[in-house]
């Protein structure tokens, strides 16, 4: 049994030794992830866990990768992607150059979905997609653009539901149970580590996507991150959140207007 | 005695269900008196669509409005909350919900076990967990945790369940304090303090 105090001490260690700050993450989820990791790795006690995280940097990396949630999929919530196609991309298309930031992109399924949308709108060549996450190991997967082949049937259905009219398999080559996505898509993706907790704004964007990341943060950290997004958006830029996330009750709420039923906001000042 | 009673008064009623449980709720909810003083939190296995038609549907059967739980919503007494599709629903110490899009548990997201275990830790003896019809093992572990933390557990009588597997699984693992049909469940809820 791991007590709340134990977790607090562990989080302090992480900050002191490695500079990662998880203290403003949602406690319930964090605790569940830590207990799950102990069961997975057969770690018998809290003391043992703390010792390994403190002394073994390889294990620390695994720890960070496992306590953060890296579950994602392509074209998740097809109606959201449909709205990107129909409402957002035509507006972005009037710009000479399009900058998009996927904040907390995990293994990159959403980034590749976006690249496909841009390609189909004939905008990919003048776009750059910045994909950032705090885990270097998941970013390696974004770079490769290789996803499990057994997911493709579902992704293809979501792609069609999002308004896609092509054969989804034209975007990847199947190889030994993996689907490797077109190089053309990856060429426009810029990959970098970025920690939403501690790092600052690094560019000005036309569209920021951060879906199902804020749910893991407490209110205070959510506010900080939303401010960071506000600072990183140009006037009339767009911010897209997960289906259960909102700008309501946040400090930046008054600067944004929600577009439609999808969780997409436009910066109005 | 009085003090003890107060300390253990029910703060939350959790209801978990899978296949065949919606009909149970439709029969159960109209029988619940509206003056209850705890939060009712419902976790149902459902299709992965983002629409909230289910909470509207449930609202028509209850006198209170059923809200789909949103991230960081405060959990208020006297309200019905429904776990949103395709997220796990967790309870924070400060009495708010948080959502989690991690791996499915028992092939399910939301998983009944995840919410039950999370709530057991927060509410301890002030929690009641109820498990309805279903064809999945989800819920048993959660009920056991609720029991361990001092809460009470109710399982639908499998003979009255459209899908008896889930309640039977809980009973076989000694996770049920009470085994009730729908009328007994309504009675039990109306007498919860």
């Amino acid at each position: 049994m791991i007590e709340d105090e134990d977790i607090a001490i562990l989080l302090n260690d992480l900050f002191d030794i490695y500079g990662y700050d998880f203290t403003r993450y949602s406690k319930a989820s964090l605790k569940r992830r830590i207990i799950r990791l102990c069961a997975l790795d057969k770690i018998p006690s809290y003391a043992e866990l703390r010792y390994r995280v403190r002394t073994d940097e390889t294990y620390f990396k695994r720890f960070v990768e496992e306590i953060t949630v890296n579950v994602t999929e392509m074209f998740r919530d097809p109606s959201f992607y449909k709205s990107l196609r129909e409402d957002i991309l035509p507006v972005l298309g009037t710009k000479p150059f399009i900058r998009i930031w996927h904040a907390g992109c995990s293994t990159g399924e959403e980034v590749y979905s976006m690249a496909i949308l841009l390609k189909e709108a004939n905008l990919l060549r003048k776009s750059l997609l910045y994909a950032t996450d705090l885990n270097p190991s998941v970013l390696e997967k974004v770079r490769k653009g290789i996803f499990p082949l057994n997911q493709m049937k579902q992704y293809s259905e979501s792609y069609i539901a999002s308004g896609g009219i092509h054969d989804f398999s034209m975007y990847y080559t199947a190889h030994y149970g993996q689907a490797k996505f077109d190089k053309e898509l990856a060429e426009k993706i810029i990959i970098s580590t970025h920690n939403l907790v501690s790092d600052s704004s690094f560019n000005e964007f036309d569209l920021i996507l951060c879906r199902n990341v804020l749910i893991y943060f407490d209110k205070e950290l959510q506010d900080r991150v939303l401010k960071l997004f506000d600072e990183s958006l140009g006037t009339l830029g767009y911010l897209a959140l997960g289906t259960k996330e909102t700008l309501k009750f946040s400090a930046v709420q008054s600067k944004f207007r929600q577009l439609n039923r999808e969780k997409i906001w436009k910066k109005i000042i | 005695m009085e003090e003890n009673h107060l300390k253990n008064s029910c703060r939350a009623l959790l209801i978990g269900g899978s296949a065949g449980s919606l009909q149970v709720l439709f029969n159960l909810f109209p029988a619940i008196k509206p003056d209850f003083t705890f939060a009712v939190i419902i976790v149902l296995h459902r299709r992965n669509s983002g629409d909230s038609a289910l909470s509207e549907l449930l609202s028509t059967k209850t006198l209170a409005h059923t809200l789909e739980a949103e991230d960081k919503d405060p959990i208020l007494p006297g309200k019905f909350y429904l776990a949103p599709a395709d997220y796990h629903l967790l309870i924070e110490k400060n009495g708010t919900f948080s959502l989690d899009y991690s791996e499915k548990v028992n092939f399910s997201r939301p998983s009944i076990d995840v919410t039950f275990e999370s709530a057991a830790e927060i509410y301890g003896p002030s929690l009641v967990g109820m498990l309805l019809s279903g064809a999945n093992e989800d819920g048993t572990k959660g009920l056991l945790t609720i029991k361990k933390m001092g809460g009470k557990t109710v399982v639908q009588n499998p003979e009255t369940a459209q899908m008896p597997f889930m309640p039977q699984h809980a009973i076989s693992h000694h996770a049920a304090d009470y085994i009730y049909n729908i009328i007994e469940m309504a009675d039990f809820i109306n007498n919860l303090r």
Side-chain angles (χ1 to χ4, degrees), chain B residues 18-181:
Chain B
S18 189
S21 64
L22 208 51
Q23 197 53 51
V24 180
L25 294 182
F26 286 168
N27 293 328
L28 179 64
F29 281 176
I32 299 178
K33 294 191 193 129
D35 61 345
F36 59 91
T37 54
F38 42 85
V40 181
I41 302 166
I42 305 149
V43 182
L44 295 180
H45 295 164
R46 50 198 282 207
R47 215 163 44 86
N48 289 358
S49 70
D51 66 61
S52 49
L54 185 57
S55 62
E56 282 157 30
L57 199 60
L58 286 171
S59 293
T60 63
K61 303 288 175 184
T62 56
L63 294 167
H65 191 57
T66 304
L67 307 157
E68 216 172 65
E70 296 259 347
D71 183 49
K72 306 296 179 289
D73 266 355
I75 302 166
L76 302 173
K79 298 250 189 250
F80 283 91
Y81 297 96
L82 177 68
D86 214 17
Y87 288 90
H88 293 306
L89 182 67
L90 301 171
I91 319 281
E92 297 283 347
K93 221 177 203 162
N94 65 2
T96 59
F97 288 114
S98 55
L99 300 176
D100 176 315
Y101 185 63
S102 57
E103 298 79 359
K104 290 182 177 179
V105 174
N106 303 316
F107 311 102
S108 311
R109 187 173 52 221
S111 144
I112 300 167
D113 278 344
V114 167
T115 303
F116 279 21
E117 286 172 351
S118 168
E121 193 168 320
I122 303 301
Y123 293 116
S126 312
L127 180 65
V128 175
M130 220 173 226
L131 192 67
L132 310 178
S133 167
N136 179 301
E137 290 182 7
D138 201 14
T140 296
K141 264 193 181 160
L143 288 179
L144 288 169
T145 311
I146 291 175
K147 270 175 79 118
K148 200 174 101 190
M149 304 301 277
K152 291 192 202 72
T153 62
V154 178
V155 172
Q156 183 181 2
N157 186 339
E159 286 170 24
T160 70
Q162 207 180 322
M163 294 284 172
F165 183 87
M166 198 158 86
Q168 188 56 56
H169 189 268
I171 293 164
S172 309
H173 289 77
H174 312 291
D177 288 328
Y178 309 99
I179 300 166
Y180 285 158
N181 63 29

